[in-house]
Each structure stands twice: as structure tokens, then as C-alpha cells.
Amino acid sequence: MSEAVAETVAGRFAELYGSAPDGVWAAPGRVNLIGEHTDYNDGFVMPFALPHQAVAAVSRREDGVLRLHSADVEGGVTELHLDALAPESDKNWTAYPAGVVWALREAGHAVTGADIHLASTVPSGAGLSSSAALEVVVALALNDLFSLGLRGWQLARLCQRAENVYVGAPVGIMDQTASACCESGHALFLDTRDLSQRQIPFDLAAEGMRLLVVDTQVKHSHSEGEYGKRRAGCEKGAALLGVDALRDIPYDGLDEALARLGDEEEVRRLVRHVVTEDERVERVVSLLESGETRAIGPVLVEGHASLRDDFRISCPELDLVVDTALTAGALGARMTGGGFGGSAIVLAEEADVEAITKAVTEAFAAAGFTTPRVFEAVPSPGARRLH
């Protein structure tokens, strides 16, 4: 499959730019199993890579020119000059790859230009990190072509800086790290404070289970205010409690911390979610490592309730997926990603997948919602060179 994709993307590159690319690279989207809105609070997350990926055919240039083209966006080749790249100057899709080039050069890496053609199968706006996949595939290609010697976590950090500063979206480090560092058949237990990682075996098929992604088709955008408001509220909570980040509030000290926040009701809710969510990540790791995979289902449901009631970032479509799936026999379900739309995940016995999918689809039709897109999420490899 990857071979065919690489050939298609390389062929289109040759049509656009008149010669074969120096190489073809891929970087996946991700689903977060548990650990939502903990990454920018220095907490724990647990994503895994999807089979859906951004693929880039790339050749290096020496003349300070960056040429960009996407198979997924109408229009021709965009030509940019490296010396003219400036934060928040670009409101188009090109800001993501251009931001990576800018971030690499800002960090002192001698990138002198490139021709890039991109194609992605990561659903956009579904909370599956299509932008991070785009950034990481470009970063990996340039790392190889210019022999920069950067490791996956270093590329992830540069891609986060590209999105924070160049694009202007206040995202955490999880998405880029997942795309750069995940391994097939595993979930990535990541400490976002020190970027230490552990690969946790997560092979559901071997145990007779499946994890479904239900894309509600409700689009969300992180750079629009609500994400920023939640982040600012978390920072306010940490400041009021006298800690560097909410990660520093111990789970067994949560009640005391909430009492100290007094009548700051909104901040209290945000703090409660982050502290309990970090504990949920640790619980899931423990369950998976002890072979109790089915027991993570109720923890996912707890996570959804916290995102819905404390963080208040769910929506009717996401709640309907979770409620319907559980009624139809799912082991667990929750919204995943930034919120206000996007996707939910459903953990199910293999034998129940068809009935759950049918129940969710029928519930959406009865509610007058757009038909959801349902697909299986198989833990897949992170960013790599294809050709």
C-alpha cells in the first residue's frame, strides 16, 4: 500500500516540477486513547498513530526558494522565498509546511529551499491531527535531505513551534510527538514535561477487540478562541495554586487544591479535569501493562464525562456517539481531540462492531445530524521514509 502511494505522489511531483523527487516520506495522523488537554499542562497523554497519513515527495533546493503543492487543495504551485517567511503572515494551508522551514532556520539549521508535493488521507477538522502530520512529514524530509541529524522528539518540538508561532495556534506537543515517534501495535505513553516516552503494547485485534473512530463531521478549529480560553484558564489555575503547571497538583491533593480556589468555579472545573485526567492516563497504562485491556473501557467513559461536564468541550453529536455506542454494547467510548466536534473513539468486542456502527449511524439520522464516518483505528507506525 505504502509503495503504491509513494509512487503516485512521486509521479505527481515529477509532473509538477519536471524531475523525480529526492525521496518520499510519510507521517501519520493520530488518535488519543486517553489524556485530553493535559499536554499543555505538562501532563500525561497516550496517543497512537493511525494508518491515515500525510505523504510528501521532496527535493532540496539551494536558491532560497520554497515551492509547495497539495493534491488536496485546489490551485497550482505556491512559491515562497525563505528570507520573506514571517510568523502569522500566511492564513492558508501553506503556513504549516512553510512554518516548519521557518522554525528549522530560526533554530540555526541550514535549510536552503525545497520543492514539495503533499497528499494526505488524514481527515481534516476531525481532531485527528492532520496539521501535525503535514508538519512532521515536511520536517522529517528536510531533516534527511539536509542531514540535520535531529531525532523524532526534536522534530516534534520544532513542528510545535511552527504551529504555535508561525501559524498562531496554541497547540501542545502531543500531536507532533505522536506523528513523529509512535510505533506499530503500540500506544505512546508520553510525559509532556520532559518528553520521556514509553511504548505500551496495544494490539486489540489479538484480543478480539476493535477501536472505532467515529468522525462526527462537525468541524472544529483550534485557533478559534475556545481552546485558547481553556488553556488560559488552566494557566490561571496553576498560578492561583502556586505551581508551575497543573501536572504538579497530586491526585490525592485535588480536594484541597479545589478548596483553595474558592469561588473561581470555572477554574475549579478545568483544574479538576486536568488532575483527574492525568490519573486516568496512569490507570490505563497500568491496566494495559497488566493485560487487563477490557478494563480500560470504563476509564474512557469517565474521561468523556469529565470533558463534557468539567472542561465543557463536547457537543451533542459527540455525546450521542458515546451514549449510543455504550447502549449498543461498547466496552467504552469518549470524545477525542480538541473538542467542539471532531471524533469520538469506541472500544468494542469484534463481534459487536457491526451492531454499534449501525446503532450510531441510525441515531445520527434520527437526530437529523450529518452521517458520521466510522472506521477502525489500528495502531500504526510513526513518520518514516517510504522511498
Side-chain angles (χ1 to χ4, degrees):
M1 179 68 178
S2 293
E3 188 89 3
V5 171
E7 281 181 23
T8 302
V9 175
R12 183 68 178 121
F13 179 99
E15 289 171 17
L16 288 162
Y17 298 118
S19 60
D22 292 340
V24 182
W25 291 260
R30 66 96 190 97
V31 157
N32 194 22
L33 181 62
I34 191 78
E36 220 64 79
H37 289 272
T38 47
D39 62 343
Y40 54 81
N41 290 291
D42 282 3
F44 304 126
V45 294
M46 204 171 178
F48 64 89
L50 287 167
H52 306 72
Q53 55 192 10
V55 179
V58 186
S59 287
R60 64 181 276 170
R61 297 177 66 101
E62 310 296 335
D63 58 359
V65 170
L66 175 65
R67 294 197 293 180
L68 301 167
H69 185 270
S70 169
D72 310 305
V73 181
E74 295 238 339
V77 173
T78 298
E79 183 169 309
L80 303 168
H81 293 269
L82 301 192
D83 291 340
L85 298 179
E88 299 197 52
S89 60
D90 186 349
K91 298 301 176 192
N92 299 308
W93 72 270
T94 48
Y96 295 97
V100 170
V101 176
W102 172 85
L104 285 166
R105 285 165 55 87
E106 280 283 297
H109 300 292
V111 175
T112 55
D115 288 339
I116 302 175
H117 170 61
L118 290 148
S120 179
T121 57
V122 186
S124 176
L128 304 174
S129 298
S130 55
S131 58
L134 208 58
E135 292 156 0
V136 170
V137 75
V138 170
L140 181 63
L142 297 175
N143 185 49
D144 286 357
L145 290 177
F146 290 94
S147 304
L148 303 181
L150 297 169
R151 295 170 61 188
W153 66 269
Q154 293 171 305
L155 293 176
R157 190 160 259 176
L158 284 163
C159 289
Q160 182 200 15
R161 178 164 163 73
E163 193 155 350
N164 287 171
V165 180
Y166 196 90
V167 178
V171 299
I173 190 69
M174 172 180 67
D175 298 350
Q176 291 83 359
T177 307
S179 188
C181 301
C182 277
E183 291 181 7
S184 181
H186 292 75
L188 180 72
F189 177 39
L190 173 67
D191 181 334
T192 64
R193 171 165 281 168
D194 62 12
L195 298 189
S196 59
Q197 306 175 11
R198 259 170 49 215
Q199 300 286 346
I200 309 296
F202 190 55
D203 184 358
L204 293 174
E207 298 188 60
M209 285 175 283
R210 295 286 185 267
L211 191 82
L212 303 177
V213 174
V214 182
D215 176 3
T216 64
Q217 308 278 0
V218 178
K219 302 297 180 193
H220 69 86
S221 172
H222 274 171
S223 30
E224 289 165 17
E226 293 298 332
Y227 179 99
K229 277 188 209 164
R230 301 301 187 285
R231 186 165 184 161
C234 290
E235 288 166 0
K236 181 179 178 181
L240 289 171
L241 293 167
V243 293
D244 289 340
L246 293 183
R247 183 269 182 66
D248 297 312
I249 304 296
Y251 179 69
D252 58 9
L254 176 59
D255 289 345
E256 181 200 340
L258 294 177
R260 283 168 55 203
L261 290 170
D263 59 1
E264 290 276 0
E265 184 49 42
E266 188 175 349
V267 174
R268 286 174 53 139
R269 286 191 285 98
L270 298 178
V271 169
R272 184 165 52 224
H273 166 72
V274 173
V275 176
T276 58
E277 187 80 346
D278 273 335
E279 188 272 339
R280 280 187 284 273
V281 178
E282 293 187 289
R283 237 190 306 160
V284 167
V285 170
S286 175
L287 289 166
L288 289 177
E289 289 191 324
S290 59
E292 298 175 73
T293 307
R294 283 171 175 78
I296 73 171
V299 189
L300 302 184
V301 180
E302 277 178 43
H304 183 77
S306 183
L307 289 162
R308 181 191 64 212
D309 302 336
D310 276 344
F311 229 67
R312 300 191 182 179
I313 56 169
S314 190
C315 66
E317 291 87 349
L318 288 167
D319 292 341
L320 185 61
V321 175
V322 172
D323 295 345
T324 306
L326 293 172
T327 302
L331 297 165
R334 74 172 191 91
M335 61 154 285
T336 186
F340 308 105
S343 299
I345 55 173
V346 177
L347 180 68
E349 301 287 0
E350 190 175 352
D352 296 332
V353 164
E354 202 173 314
I356 290 168
T357 303
K358 183 169 182 280
V360 169
T361 305
E362 287 176 353
F364 267 56
F369 296 152
T370 303
T371 305
R373 178 172 178 239
V374 184
F375 58 90
E376 185 183 348
V378 180
S380 298
R384 64 211 187 281
R385 188 168 186 159
L386 296 180
H387 183 66

